[in-house]
Amino acid sequence: MTTPTTPSTPIDAVLGDAEFFSAEDAAELRAALNRVRTEVGKAVVGQDGAVTGLIIALLARGHVLLEGVPGVAKTLLVRTLSHALSLDTKRIQFTPDLMPGDVTGSLIYDARAGEFEFRQGPVFTNIMLADEINRTPPKTQSALLEAMEERQVSVDGESLKLPEPFIVAATMNPIEYEGTYTLPEAQLDRFLLKLVLDVPARTDEIEVLRRHAAGFNPRDLAGAGVNAVLGAAELAAAQTAVSRVGSSADVLAYIVDLARATRTSPSVKLGVSPRGTTALLAATKAWAWLNGYNSITPDHVQAMALPVWRHRVQLRPEAELEGVSVDAILRGVLQQVQVPI
């Protein structure tokens, strides 16, 4: 590739060569994304899977639902990733009194000009952190739907495009339900991945304490040594490369067979929709490209099935009472459906 881009490098400068993308170009981009993981690791310990998931979501132009108990670095993870990618990020703390205009923006009357002026909301960013998204009413949650699906906001009959790239990283607390609202199925289906952030292992937790004892400040990423190693232009070029990853007819049929198996499971009330199959294809292509493959394989599909589908499957009430989990259902489907040779 040409010289590394900076946040101010025009995207066309990189995308102009995308038609002639070579294996060396792709290898350089993959190496840069691996450096992003290293940079994030300077601030976040023990969440390597979540870091990879967020990178996959960016490459596949999808949104991410982060589920984990308080204090497992969900917010810090998103902030650090944005810093390492030279991307703008804004955070919204979702509360019961949050209004749709607080997310998308509002028309403000300018007395001097004698007209209304639109003031952009925090959704006009590259990575929007929606903290505790299930604490706000459905009316405000639905304000995100157009932004997530169409990448635009409609104001006074006019559509305003959001910056590129744009993803929503929403956090949820799985153990506290008082004062929360169930996310609408239409909105859940817009999230490409649901990543579960567990409490770090003992050695990782000791490393967290060691860093804090040495003076680590999670609010000072530059002081922690986190550097920007990739720009929006290079990320756009990587997205273009991912879109060109191949897929054979057998693997596409395998994805469909997996989805159809979830719909016929006796424990499932609502299985994976066709949107879910296209989401799995997009995430699988990103994962295959990150691993240096030019075409997806069944192994790539199996690796991405749980994070892409775990929030799209609804269990029957009797299955929930018996303690059946969606992940267990999906693992069973992966074992039962014949893998193409």
Side-chain angles (χ1 to χ4, degrees), residues 90 92 103-105 121-126 128 144 147 153 162-163 166 168:
K90 289 186 174 67
I92 308 177
V103 176
T104 60
V123 75
F124 286 86
T125 187
N126 296 126
M128 195 193 86
L144 281 177
V153 170
L162 295 176
F166 170 75
V168 173

Side-chain angles (χ1 to χ4, degrees), residues 304-334:
M304 296 308 304
L306 264 66
V308 175
W309 282 357
R310 60 165 53 108
H311 57 295
R312 305 173 194 271
V313 174
Q314 282 190 14
L315 298 177
R316 295 184 184 276
E318 53 269 29
E320 292 181 341
L321 290 174
E322 293 172 0
V324 177
S325 69
V326 172
D327 281 13
I329 294 294
L330 292 175
R331 289 191 185 98
V333 167
L334 290 172

Side-chain angles (χ1 to χ4, degrees), residues 99-110:
M99 299 297 291
D102 297 329
V103 176
T104 60
S106 304
L107 287 171
I108 306 297
Y109 184 72
D110 187 344

Side-chain angles (χ1 to χ4, degrees), residues 175-214:
I175 62 171
E176 191 174 359
Y177 297 102
E178 184 177 351
T180 63
Y181 301 83
T182 303
L183 290 179
E185 293 304 319
Q187 185 169 355
L188 273 177
D189 212 28
R190 259 69 175 190
F191 286 99
L192 177 71
L193 304 174
K194 180 181 178 182
L195 305 176
V196 179
L197 280 71
D198 295 319
V199 174
R202 180 176 181 271
T203 53
D204 291 331
E205 200 164 356
I206 291 174
E207 175 62 17
V208 171
L209 285 183
R210 188 194 68 77
R211 293 186 182 188
H212 278 265

